[in-house]
Amino acid sequence: MTIDDGLHDFLGVRDRLLRIARGIAGPDAEDVVQDAWLRWNGTDRTVVRDAPAFLSRTTTRLSLTRTTTAYARHQSPVGLWPAERAQPGEDPAAMVVEADQLRGAMALLLSRLGPRERVAFLLREAFALPYRQIAGLLGVTEAHARQLTRRARTRLETSGDSRVSSVDHRDLLTAFTEVSRTGDPAALVSHSFRTGSS
């Protein structure tokens, strides 16, 4: 497969990728799709059996990561991230859009992942915690923490959403916001044990 073939495959689904990214990452959609192109351009495409599915999965994962990461960086005062907080004059409208994106991302996580998969994914992707620390927080081995995160990524790349409880949605948002605000992952870990152990 040549670069031209790869470009043709990408352009053929670009509109779909933009729809996916806009649904999760909103105004950052163009950047997400550009990131997806960079990933695609660096991928050995001879081993990709279904280019549209691969690109859609990649875009979904990148959108989720961007949304949760951006929110966490703006909220976290200490610990999990370097000092990169929202400025006092930040546009309130942009903050509302970001909150809406976060709600959508959390709903998707709830609809596709088990409790421990959600926690492992968020602690790794949004807060960049090492697998060893995630393992200690969840009471599992480091290998199991890696497996939970890997499984979460795989499930996020597939369809088949389950119904999301409004209570679970609110609780996950609250836990995520608490971790972002305090830098202490205990709220997310506690959430995982309240909602199950899968």
Side-chain angles (χ1 to χ4, degrees):
M1 181 180 286
T2 67
I3 291 178
D4 286 344
D5 291 334
L7 180 60
H8 180 268
D9 287 339
F10 180 82
L11 292 177
V13 295
R14 188 174 185 278
D15 287 345
R16 182 201 301 180
L17 304 183
L18 277 170
R19 286 194 298 273
I20 291 169
R22 284 182 185 130
I24 301 171
D28 289 336
E30 291 280 355
D31 290 341
V32 169
V33 172
Q34 179 64 27
D35 288 346
W37 160 251
L38 292 173
R39 295 284 179 94
W40 175 242
N41 203 32
T43 296
D44 178 3
R45 295 187 293 271
T46 61
V47 300
V48 176
R49 288 180 290 184
D50 187 338
F54 177 91
L55 286 163
S56 296
R57 290 192 300 266
T58 300
T59 302
T60 298
R61 187 174 68 244
L62 290 170
S63 298
L64 280 165
T65 300
R66 179 175 287 259
T67 299
T68 54
T69 296
Y71 187 86
R73 283 178 172 170
H74 285 171
Q75 294 296 313
S76 180
V78 292
L80 294 178
W81 239 289
E84 186 184 333
R85 289 186 285 169
Q87 299 303 311
E90 185 170 2
D91 181 7
M95 295 175 71
V96 169
V97 169
E98 190 175 84
D100 285 343
Q101 291 166 9
L102 180 68
R103 281 193 286 272
M106 292 299 110
L108 188 60
L109 291 176
L110 277 166
S111 70
R112 295 189 181 181
L113 304 181
R116 289 198 175 188
E117 291 169 352
R118 283 195 300 271
V119 172
F121 178 82
L122 286 171
L123 292 179
R124 181 65 184 174
E125 298 294 335
F127 299 108
L129 261 64
Y131 287 112
R132 181 179 299 176
Q133 188 174 353
I134 294 169
L137 289 164
L138 291 176
V140 299
T141 64
E142 186 173 347
H144 191 189
R146 289 179 182 274
Q147 182 184 39
L148 285 168
T149 308
R150 237 184 349 259
R151 194 164 63 196
R153 291 192 190 107
T154 299
R155 290 188 176 181
L156 285 171
E157 294 168 358
T158 61
S159 57
D161 299 345
S162 60
R163 189 170 178 276
V164 175
S165 156
S166 59
V167 173
D168 287 344
H169 190 203
R170 185 190 65 231
D171 287 350
L172 181 58
L173 276 167
T174 300
F176 181 83
T177 303
E178 181 69 10
V179 177
S180 299
R181 185 180 63 80
T182 65
D184 182 356
L188 270 176
V189 176
S190 175
H191 171 79
S192 82
F193 286 108
R194 285 198 308 273
T195 56
S197 58
S198 61

